[in-house]
Amino acid sequence: MKSLKSRNNKHKYLIMVLYLIPILISIVLLVASIFLIDPKSEFGMTVIIILGSYVILMGIGYFIFRSAISASMVEYSIKQGMIQSGLLMSLVVPYAILNNKGKMIWANNSFKEVIGVSERRKLHGYIDDYILDINLDDVKELEKELAVDVRYDNRNYKAILKKLDLDEYLEAEEGLLIEQEEESPNRESVVALYLFDITDEMKYKQESYDQKLIAGLLYIDNYDEVMNSMEEVKQPVLATLIDRKINVYLANLDAITKRLENDKYLFVFPQKYIEFAKKNRFSILEDVKKINTGNDIPATLSIGIGAGYDTYINSYEAAKVAIGLALGRGGDQVALKNGDNVEYFGGKSAGSEKVTRVKARVKAQAFEELLENKDKVLIMAHQRPDPDAFGSAVGLYRLAITLGKKAYIILNEVTESIEPMVKTFTGNVIYSEMIINNEQAQKMVSRSTLLVVSDVNRPSMTECPELLSTVSNIVVFDHHRQSNEPIANATLSYIEPFASSACEMITEMFQYISVKPKIRPVEADAIYMGILIDTNNFLTKTGVRTFEAASYLRNSGADVTRVRKLMRSNLTELKERANAISNTEMFSGYALSYVDPDPDSADVPTVAAAKAANALLDAEGVKASFVVTQSKDGILYVSARSIGDVNVQIVMERFGGGGHANVAGVQLKDRTKESFFDELKAVLIEMETSGEL
C-alpha cells in the first residue's frame, strides 16, 4: 500500500506544477520576443518590459504565497475527506467493511441501526455473529461479487458482498496501475457489504402473485350413474346437496363459480388460496362422497387447475389439460398443473365402472375411419409384455385384418408369462408373418402406416419408442391411469381406467365395427387369457362389462380348459411363489416380500412375484402386498397389489411407476431390495399420516 507521505508528496508536486507552468510560459514568450521583435523599437521595448515584469511578479508571488496556498490546499483536502467520511457514515444504505476472512472492520450508522447496535459502539467479531444468513465461507472464498438474500429482525434484505483490492484501488487512483501477469498472494483486500431492504418489494410481489386469478374445472365423474341408482323423487335433493357442497367449498376459496352443465363447473379464484387447498388435500373430494340421500353409488369429483401462468387464458388452457389428466387417471382426484409439473391429490378410490358403452362405440368407429386410407398397421405394447399386452395386440391384429389391412405385432422379447401363448401362434403357418421385431418395423414405416399402441400410455415404456417420432398417425388403447408422460402426438386416444384390461376394451370394440370379425379360437384364447390374468381370475377390478367381454370371447371360440393349461405354472415357479410367501414381513398391515431368483436361470421371476403378491392378499389382515425380485443386470421389479383398502397405484407413482388402484408396479435401477423396502416404509408412513392413503 502507498504510504501517507507518498500521497502528500503527490499533492505537493501537483501544486508546484500549477504555479510553475505560467512562469515557464512567460519566460518562453520573453525569450521569443527578444529574438523575434526588435528590442530597439518602441513596441518591442514595451513587450519585453511587460513580460519581464510579469515573470518577476509571478516569481515573487510564488515564493511569498507558496506556503499559504499549500496550507489552504491541505486544509481543503482535510475538510473534503471529513465531508466524504461524514457522508459515508450517514449514508442511508447500510454499509460495512470486512476483512477477507469476514471479520468486521467498520460499519456506518445505517448498518448499526439495522443490527440494533449503538452508533458509538465499535463492531467486533465476524459478520455471521450479527447476520446468520451470511455464510463465512462465502466471504472467504469470494472472488468478485456475490448477492445473498438474508432475513434479519423480520425484514428481508439483499446483501451484496463485493471484494475490493486495496493496492489496485490506490494504484488506479494515482495513475500508477500496471498490468501484472498474476495476482500476488500478498496483495491486501477487503470486502464491502451493502444491505438493500427489499421487504416492501417482496411484499408487493407476493400480493401481486396472490391476487392473480387462476382457472379451474370441476366435473362430477359419475353424475348419471349416481342419479340412476336412486329414486327419481330424491334426485333433485341429491343434486341440490352436491351443488351446495361444491359452492360452499369454492366460496371458501373466494372463487367465482359458473355452472356449465349439471355435472360441470368453471371456477376462478385467487392464487393465494392454492396452498390452503393443497394443505387440506382438497377436502371437497371426500365431502361430496359422504353425501347420501338413498343413492347406492357415491358421487366423485375430478378437478383440473392451471396455476402459475402469466395470463388467465393460459391458466384456463392448463386447467383443460389438467382435467383431462384427472379423468384419464380414473377421476376422484385433483390434477394441479403448473408448467410442466403436475401434482395429484386424492385418487384413493378405484373408481366406478361405466355401464354405458357409448365411448367404446365412438372410439371403434373413429378407429375404423382412421384405417380407411392406411395400408399397413403396426401394433406394439409395452416392454416385457404380459398376457394382457399380447392378447390386446392379437385383438387389434384381428380388427385390422377384418377391415382388410395388413397388420404386424412388434415383439422383441417373449417373456415367461406369454411364451406358451406365443408358441401357439408361431407354430401356425397362418401367423408366420404376424410377429416382427423393432428393426423390421422401422423398415416398414411409410406415409400410409398406422401405429397402434396397446396396454401402455408412456412413450418410454413402449416396445419401440423410436416409432413414435417416425410415424405420423398413432392410436393409443390403454386401461392404465394416465401419467405425466403421455403420448402427445396421438391421433386417437382411448384410455379407460375403469376397464379391467386392454383385452376387455378391444373385445368391446369388436362389436361396433361395420364388418363382423371372425375371431379364430387361438385369438379368442389369447384375449381371454389377458382378461383372466389382469383380473386375477375375475377377482380383481371385475365389472359387468368384464363378464360381457368374457362371454363374447367364449361365444367366439375361447376355451377355458385350453387357457387354463396355458396358464399353468411350472414347478420352479411354484417354488419361487412359496419362497416369496415364506420371506414375507408384515409392516403395519402391509405384506412385504421378495423372490430369490434362480442363479442358474436367465429368466427373471416376475410372474412368480406377481402371483405371490396376489396370494398374500388372501391372508387375514393384509391391506396391500409388495413383492420384489431382481434381475442379473440389477433391475428391481416391484409388484404391488391391494384388495380395495389401499390405492397401490398412487404408492407406486412415488417411485415413478403406476398401474391401477388394486394392481400396480414399477421397475427400478440401481436399487437393492433392502433400500427399496426402507424407502417404501417411509413413504407408507408419510402417506398415511397426510391422509393420502
Side-chain angles (χ1 to χ4, degrees):
M1 186 189 294
K2 297 292 181 183
S3 64
L4 182 61
K5 181 179 178 180
S6 174
R7 291 172 62 84
N8 290 336
N9 287 338
K10 175 190 171 185
H11 294 300
K12 188 181 294 184
Y13 295 145
L14 182 61
I15 293 171
M16 186 183 298
V17 169
L18 290 173
Y19 278 116
L20 291 178
I21 285 175
I23 296 175
L24 292 173
I25 293 174
S26 300
I27 292 173
V28 171
L29 291 174
L30 179 60
V31 172
S33 64
I34 292 173
F35 289 99
L36 298 175
I37 303 174
D38 185 4
K40 296 180 180 181
S41 65
E42 184 179 350
F43 174 74
M45 184 61 68
T46 303
V47 171
I48 292 172
I49 292 172
I50 293 173
L51 288 174
S53 301
Y54 178 77
V55 171
I56 293 169
L57 290 173
M58 286 295 292
I60 295 172
Y62 173 74
F63 287 104
I64 293 175
F65 298 109
R66 182 179 62 178
S67 299
I69 292 174
S70 297
S72 297
M73 291 293 291
V74 171
E75 183 181 354
Y76 174 77
S77 297
I78 292 172
K79 288 182 178 179
Q80 186 186 44
M82 292 176 64
I83 291 171
Q84 290 176 347
S85 178
L87 288 174
L88 191 60
M89 181 61 73
S90 59
L91 187 68
V92 293
V93 176
Y95 177 75
I97 298 176
L98 324 172
N99 67 14
N100 53 18
K101 294 183 179 179
K103 190 172 183 178
M104 299 291 299
I105 297 176
W106 178 89
N108 69 357
N109 293 334
S110 297
F111 189 92
K112 292 179 179 179
E113 182 181 350
V114 167
I115 62 176
V117 173
S118 171
E119 294 181 0
R120 297 182 179 181
R121 179 182 167 187
K122 188 175 181 180
L123 298 181
H124 299 281
Y126 292 88
I127 184 61
D128 59 348
D129 295 333
Y130 300 96
I131 303 177
L132 298 177
D133 291 341
I134 296 180
N135 191 330
L136 208 58
D137 291 334
D138 292 338
V139 179
K140 294 176 181 178
E141 298 171 4
L142 183 65
E143 294 184 359
K144 290 185 179 180
E145 187 173 311
L146 176 68
V148 182
D149 290 328
V150 302
R151 185 168 178 81
Y152 189 89
D153 195 24
N154 296 323
R155 304 288 293 180
N156 296 299
Y157 298 90
K158 175 74 73 175
I160 305 296
L161 297 163
K162 189 173 183 179
K163 187 174 183 179
L164 300 175
D165 188 320
L166 295 182
D167 292 323
E168 181 181 307
Y169 174 75
L170 292 174
E171 289 168 0
E173 184 185 61
E174 296 178 9
L176 300 174
L177 182 61
I178 58 174
E179 292 186 3
Q180 297 181 352
E181 292 185 2
E182 58 180 83
E183 187 177 352
S184 171
N186 298 319
R187 293 175 73 86
E188 188 171 347
S189 63
V190 295
V191 176
L193 170 62
Y194 308 86
L195 291 179
F196 297 96
D197 193 332
I198 57 172
T199 307
D200 292 337
E201 178 186 348
M202 292 182 65
K203 176 184 174 183
Y204 297 140
K205 282 184 177 180
Q206 187 63 42
E207 288 180 355
S208 175
Y209 176 84
D210 289 342
Q211 293 303 319
K212 185 179 291 184
L213 293 179
I214 60 178
L217 291 166
L218 184 152
Y219 292 177
I220 303 174
D221 298 324
N222 50 354
Y223 183 84
D224 293 333
E225 288 84 351
V226 172
M227 292 302 171
N228 292 334
S229 71
M230 59 188 303
E231 297 177 17
E232 188 174 349
V233 68
K234 294 182 179 180
Q235 291 178 5
V237 177
L238 178 62
T240 302
L241 289 175
I242 293 175
D243 182 70
R244 175 174 173 76
K245 185 72 72 173
I246 291 172
N247 280 287
V248 168
Y249 178 81
L250 294 177
N252 290 332
L253 301 182
D254 199 18
I256 301 172
T257 309
K258 173 67 175 178
R259 188 172 183 177
L260 305 176
E261 299 178 27
N262 287 336
D263 58 347
K264 293 180 177 62
Y265 296 77
L266 168 67
F267 60 97
V268 181
F269 67 105
Q271 194 154 248
K272 67 178 180 180
Y273 289 102
I274 198 68
E275 291 301 323
F276 166 77
K278 288 167 64 175
K279 188 175 181 180
N280 63 35
R281 305 199 63 80
F282 294 88
S283 59
I284 184 65
L285 297 175
E286 297 300 319
D287 292 343
V288 168
K289 282 194 284 189
K290 293 176 182 177
I291 299 176
N292 192 316
T293 59
N295 47 298
D296 297 330
I297 303 172
T300 62
L301 305 180
S302 289
I303 302 175
I305 298 173
Y309 292 87
D310 294 334
T311 62
Y312 174 72
I313 189 65
N314 288 339
S315 176
Y316 176 66
E317 291 299 325
K320 291 198 293 185
V321 173
I323 193 67
L325 291 172
L327 293 170
R329 290 164 53 86
D332 186 28
Q333 58 196 279
V334 177
L336 174 60
K337 191 174 188 308
N338 190 337
D340 293 332
N341 181 47
V342 181
E343 293 181 80
Y344 296 102
F345 302 86
K348 293 191 287 185
S349 68
S352 57
E353 180 192 19
K354 300 288 185 181
V355 178
T356 175
R357 291 186 181 182
V358 173
K359 194 173 183 180
R361 175 177 55 79
V362 171
K363 299 296 182 180
Q365 292 172 352
F367 179 65
E368 187 173 354
E369 290 175 4
L370 275 174
L371 279 175
E372 284 182 2
N373 57 351
K374 303 295 182 296
D375 60 7
K376 191 185 304 101
V377 180
L378 299 179
I379 305 162
M380 68 175 178
H382 52 77
Q383 299 166 14
R384 292 190 58 81
D386 56 15
D388 187 37
F390 182 71
S392 58
V394 169
L396 288 165
Y397 171 85
R398 174 47 54 192
L399 272 175
I401 295 297
T402 300
L403 294 170
K405 308 298 177 182
K406 292 181 179 179
Y408 305 90
I409 297 175
I410 304 170
L411 183 64
N412 297 301
E413 179 183 4
V414 180
T415 58
E416 183 182 356
S417 62
I418 66 171
E419 184 178 4
M421 181 58 70
V422 172
K423 285 181 179 178
T424 62
F425 285 91
T426 55
N428 192 326
V429 68
I430 298 175
Y431 304 102
S432 59
E433 297 181 354
M434 181 180 77
I435 297 176
I436 60 175
N437 56 31
N438 283 1
E439 186 178 349
Q440 292 171 308
Q442 290 174 357
K443 291 179 180 179
M444 291 182 176
V445 174
S446 66
R447 296 174 65 92
S448 58
T449 299
L450 179 69
L451 176 64
V452 185
V453 180
S454 176
D455 199 38
V456 63
N457 60 63
R458 289 188 177 187
S460 60
M461 294 181 65
T462 57
E463 193 76 84
C464 185
E466 296 80 11
L467 285 176
L468 297 173
S469 58
T470 57
V471 180
S472 57
N473 296 290
I474 301 173
V475 177
V476 180
F477 296 114
D478 190 24
H479 68 119
H480 297 99
R481 290 191 177 192
Q482 198 164 350
S483 67
N484 294 343
E485 185 195 358
I487 298 174
N489 55 336
T491 308
L492 174 65
S493 182
Y494 181 21
I495 298 175
E496 183 59 271
F498 303 107
S500 68
S501 57
C503 286
E504 176 188 318
M505 296 170 59
I506 304 305
T507 303
E508 289 183 341
M509 291 175 59
F510 281 140
Q511 303 167 57
Y512 295 108
I513 60 174
S514 59
V515 182
K516 184 175 177 61
K518 295 180 180 179
I519 306 175
R520 297 177 182 273
V522 65
E523 297 167 352
D525 286 350
I527 303 170
Y528 184 77
M529 182 177 175
I531 296 176
L532 278 182
I533 293 296
D534 266 29
T535 60
N536 190 20
N537 291 318
F538 299 107
L539 294 176
T540 304
K541 203 171 174 60
T542 306
V544 174
R545 289 167 63 176
T546 311
F547 288 110
E548 289 176 349
S551 176
Y552 179 88
L553 292 170
R554 182 69 185 88
N555 290 331
S556 299
D559 187 279
V560 178
T561 303
R562 282 199 307 266
V563 173
R564 184 180 177 185
K565 288 180 180 180
L566 293 171
M567 292 173 58
R568 285 188 299 182
S569 303
N570 56 41
L571 190 58
T572 301
E573 183 187 311
L574 291 174
K575 288 180 179 179
E576 290 170 341
R577 199 186 315 173
N579 171 250
I581 295 173
S582 65
N583 291 334
T584 302
E585 170 197 356
M586 289 302 299
F587 172 75
S588 188
Y590 300 101
L592 314 180
S593 187
Y594 59 92
V595 179
D596 291 316
D598 185 354
D600 299 326
S601 175
D603 294 330
V604 186
T606 53
V607 175
K611 290 183 177 180
N614 285 327
L616 287 171
L617 295 179
D618 294 331
E620 187 177 355
V622 174
K623 296 185 291 187
S625 62
F626 300 88
V627 181
V628 305
T629 189
Q630 197 155 24
S631 63
K632 290 184 178 180
D633 56 0
I635 299 178
L636 193 73
Y637 296 89
V638 183
S639 293
R641 302 290 186 269
S642 78
I643 204 164
D645 299 325
V646 175
N647 187 335
V648 291
Q649 185 257 341
I650 60 176
V651 177
M652 289 294 95
E653 280 188 338
R654 288 291 192 96
F655 296 90
H660 295 287
N662 299 327
V663 180
V666 66
Q667 297 177 17
L668 301 171
K669 294 181 179 179
D670 303 322
R671 200 83 62 94
T672 64
K673 62 178 183 292
E674 291 81 9
S675 63
F676 168 73
F677 282 136
D678 288 341
E679 190 175 349
L680 176 63
K681 290 175 183 178
V683 168
L684 291 172
I685 292 172
E686 177 197 338
M687 295 182 74
E688 283 196 343
T689 303
S690 64
E692 289 184 70
L693 289 179

